Amino acid sequence: ETVLKSHGGKNNNKFNNKQGGKVSKENGSSKTNNVKCYHVHKAILSVGPRRSDYFATLFKQSHLSEFATSTSHIPLESSAADSFPALLDYIYTEKMIKFTTKNATAVRHLAHYFGMRPLWKQTSAFIRGDFSLDTAATYLSEAIVYHDEKLELASIAILAENIEEINRRTLTKLSPSSFERIFASPRLKCRSRKLSDIVLKYCQTQGGSVDMSLLMKCTRSEVMPSVSRKAALPLLKVAVAGEEK
């Protein structure tokens, strides 16, 4: 959760991403109390080219408790909470947010949540240019967190269509449920024996996370009519280990 304490004045000399503001956030991180509290200014958040439509509307709602207490409690996912200081810097200064594969989905979520259309467009443009087979696994995991169905489907599609080219590093980023969705995708394109090698590699990267249900779905005859010699015995061992659990 992020807690914003708003002030009527416009002077922001004390506010700085590293010093001066108090922000309160509760998230899944290991930081004390998982809370950060930021002191912000109504005039800056609600006016100007980088204003937040969310706050501009909120500050006019005199019947809400936030209006009386000048405090907003905002629950955020961990990656959104981590990106929140950059969002405040974006509003307060001329500074642009440095987008990365890891933060782009969270920043776009924040831009949508707080009604910042220009920032949403900038982030969307970055994601379109950055999206590739190498980044799709990260975008998939973040899209699931923020319920971005369009990005989820695009990530599943590119991973399914190019599964033969996926490296071990990408495989380790895929949760069992995401791996299963890739195999269930109508876009899946892969030779059966090559597919068995990929399933084996995934099992090896996930350790004990792969259960029999997932293994059976990924190796069913409709998907994998034949198995490579290299993968046959190791996959059998994985299956036996799964049965013994």
Side-chain angles (χ1 to χ4, degrees):
E1 180 179 276
T2 296
V3 179
L4 298 181
K5 295 183 179 292
S6 55
H7 305 279
K10 191 174 181 180
N11 184 352
N12 68 326
N13 289 336
K14 294 179 68 177
F15 176 81
N16 187 291
N17 188 27
K18 297 181 180 178
Q19 58 182 344
K22 250 186 151 187
V23 186
S24 211
K25 76 177 180 184
E26 287 184 8
N27 54 48
S29 71
S30 59
K31 295 181 180 179
T32 305
N33 298 326
N34 294 325
V35 173
K36 279 193 176 180
C37 179
Y38 300 83
H39 289 293
V40 293
H41 305 85
K42 291 181 179 179
I44 294 177
L45 293 184
S46 59
V47 178
R50 294 187 171 185
R51 71 183 180 278
S52 162
D53 290 342
Y54 171 92
F55 287 112
T57 301
L58 178 65
F59 296 149
K60 296 175 183 177
Q61 307 299 315
S62 58
H63 63 285
L64 297 178
S65 61
E66 285 95 333
F67 187 90
T69 62
S70 295
T71 302
S72 297
H73 296 261
I74 305 168
L76 296 174
E77 296 290 345
S78 180
S79 55
D82 290 340
S83 297
F84 193 76
L87 182 79
L88 289 179
D89 276 348
Y90 174 84
I91 296 174
Y92 267 74
T93 70
E94 297 298 319
K95 188 176 180 180
M96 297 298 293
I97 295 178
K98 184 178 180 181
F99 301 126
T100 66
T101 302
K102 291 183 178 180
N103 75 10
T105 309
V107 173
R108 185 164 71 171
H109 168 77
L110 289 173
H112 174 73
Y113 186 94
F114 291 113
M116 301 170 67
R117 185 66 179 176
L119 179 59
W120 187 92
K121 288 183 177 179
Q122 292 169 25
T123 317
S124 295
F126 172 83
I127 292 174
R128 285 194 298 272
D130 185 57
F131 188 76
S132 68
L133 180 60
D134 291 334
T135 61
T138 298
Y139 280 119
L140 175 58
S141 62
E142 287 293 288
I144 292 171
V145 169
Y146 295 107
H147 309 289
D148 189 332
E149 184 177 357
K150 186 176 180 180
L151 186 56
E152 275 188 54
L153 294 176
S155 300
I156 291 290
I158 192 173
L159 289 166
E161 290 174 351
N162 301 279
I163 195 168
E164 290 192 14
E165 301 173 35
I166 293 179
N167 56 37
R168 183 177 291 270
R169 183 179 178 183
T170 297
L171 283 175
T172 60
K173 296 178 182 178
L174 296 172
S175 67
S177 60
S178 293
F179 191 70
E180 182 180 336
R181 288 179 66 186
I182 292 170
F183 266 69
S185 171
R187 300 286 191 92
L188 183 67
K189 295 180 181 178
C190 188
R191 294 163 293 168
S192 179
R193 294 184 181 183
K194 177 65 176 178
L195 203 58
S196 66
D197 292 337
I198 294 170
V199 172
L200 173 61
K201 188 185 297 184
Y202 181 74
C203 291
Q204 292 170 338
T205 62
Q206 297 301 303
S209 298
V210 180
D211 59 20
M212 277 300 294
S213 175
L214 175 61
L215 186 60
M216 293 300 291
K217 288 177 182 177
C218 293
T219 57
R220 66 187 190 276
S221 59
E222 297 88 346
V223 176
M224 191 185 297
S226 60
V227 180
S228 73
R229 291 182 179 180
K230 181 176 69 174
L233 184 57
L235 280 175
L236 181 59
K237 290 181 178 178
V238 172
V240 170
E243 287 285 1
E244 292 177 346
K245 286 184 180 180

